[in-house]
Amino acid sequence: MATVIPEEILASMRAAAKLEWPGDRDMQEWMLENELSAYRAIHDLDFGAANSVREAIMREADEFSETWEDRSTIVLAEVEAFNALQALQPEDVPAELVADLKRRAAAEEDRYEHQLEEVNGGIEHYRYVQRTRAAVAPRRDLMVRMERILGSECYNDNIQNYSSWGAWEGEGRSFRYPVTFVRDGRTEKRRQRTDDLAAEELITGHYKFGANDLSVYRALMKIIDMLETDYRLDLAAGAPRGSDR
């Protein structure tokens, strides 16, 4: 059964088309057909679980759009996003985490489409952390030892060395280059301790050279991967006898 368009709505569609395309009958008809199709798309839409928030979605669509075509775009996207949010519960992510992500997204975003983006972003971050921890765990000690060796081989021949009594002892000095890590969105420099860093924080370790960065821990991870793949390095076998772990 064809959707019946209320006469007042049909009249407003025709008026809008004439206002948008004065003197161009073909474009007026084209716009009218688009508006009719958009109205029917909304009217015939199965809201599913989103039926509980139908009025809120319609109010939002009315507030942020002037045409039925625009309303239809918003309504369809919001209904799809709401229903996706209700069904969203990946098996590899704790249910309580997903529920918390949904609560926070609802508190911060009015649009269900934006809430869905926030929740999916949180889920992907959780998965990234789990993948990073699994990849770093068996390599962590080796990476830390390798970085300490690498970072301790810096030398500056322009440094002037003086003894505690003021006598000049020559030029040049070796020094430990600091590693910069990212924690909670902030950077911090370290020269020694790393045991309190989570895997996803450790892997951000980099050397800063002016405007440039060298992602030393990511590079070391790639080197170890290469050694395992191409040279059959077996970290599960443990450190060789006599090593200074």
Side-chain angles (χ1 to χ4, degrees):
M1 182 176 177
T3 302
V4 177
I5 312 293
E7 187 56 40
E8 64 274 15
I9 291 178
L10 186 58
S12 68
M13 289 179 180
R14 290 192 176 112
K18 289 179 180 179
L19 183 63
E20 183 72 19
W21 300 100
D24 192 330
R25 187 64 179 272
D26 289 339
M27 291 304 297
Q28 290 176 22
E29 289 296 324
W30 172 81
M31 181 174 174
L32 181 59
E33 284 301 316
N34 283 345
E35 291 292 271
L36 291 171
S37 296
Y39 180 91
R40 294 188 183 103
I42 295 174
H43 186 274
D44 299 338
L45 179 63
D46 179 7
F47 276 63
N51 196 55
S52 62
V53 293
R54 180 183 185 124
E55 292 185 6
I57 290 176
M58 293 303 299
R59 282 197 303 270
E60 181 181 40
D62 288 341
E63 181 180 355
F64 292 100
S65 58
E66 297 180 355
T67 66
W68 284 98
E69 187 173 15
D70 290 342
R71 289 188 186 94
S72 176
T73 298
I74 293 175
V75 170
L76 267 61
E78 286 294 271
V79 169
E80 182 179 359
F82 181 90
N83 290 331
L85 277 168
Q86 302 311 300
L88 187 60
Q89 183 50 69
E91 294 182 358
D92 61 326
V93 182
E96 59 273 18
L97 173 61
V98 176
D100 185 57
L101 288 171
K102 290 179 180 180
R103 283 193 295 270
R104 283 189 286 168
E108 296 172 0
E109 300 287 351
D110 294 328
R111 294 279 292 271
Y112 295 115
E113 191 175 12
H114 297 161
Q115 291 179 31
L116 182 61
E117 290 176 0
E118 287 293 316
V119 173
N120 279 328
I123 288 172
E124 286 309 308
H125 176 70
Y126 170 83
R127 287 171 172 161
Y128 163 77
V129 169
Q130 299 311 304
R131 290 194 302 269
T132 302
R133 289 178 178 177
V136 168
R139 304 169 174 86
R140 181 171 185 134
D141 289 347
L142 180 57
M143 290 167 62
V144 170
R145 293 177 65 205
M146 292 171 71
E147 187 286 316
R148 285 176 180 167
I149 294 171
L150 184 63
S152 297
E153 289 299 314
C154 290
Y155 183 85
N156 188 334
D157 60 6
N158 291 320
I159 295 176
Q160 304 297 308
N161 296 304
Y162 292 89
S163 67
S164 57
W165 53 88
W168 183 66
E169 295 183 339
E171 297 178 342
R173 182 187 300 169
S174 297
F175 61 96
R176 169 68 161 103
Y177 205 86
V179 188
T180 300
F181 297 96
V182 180
R183 301 187 77 191
D184 299 322
R186 296 186 294 271
T187 59
E188 59 179 65
K189 288 184 179 181
R190 297 189 176 197
R191 287 180 169 81
Q192 294 300 327
R193 188 180 179 190
T194 59
D195 61 339
D196 63 324
L197 295 172
E200 61 273 19
E201 297 167 342
L202 181 75
I203 203 67
T204 66
H206 58 280
Y207 297 144
K208 296 193 72 68
F209 302 112
N212 302 310
D213 296 343
L214 191 159
S215 298
V216 60
Y217 272 95
R218 294 189 188 279
L220 291 173
M221 175 74 86
K222 292 179 181 179
I223 291 171
I224 295 171
D225 285 342
M226 179 268 293
L227 292 173
E228 290 178 326
T229 302
D230 297 347
Y231 296 91
R232 300 181 181 179
L233 173 67
D234 185 6
L235 294 180
R241 184 175 298 174
S243 65
D244 58 346
R245 287 182 68 88

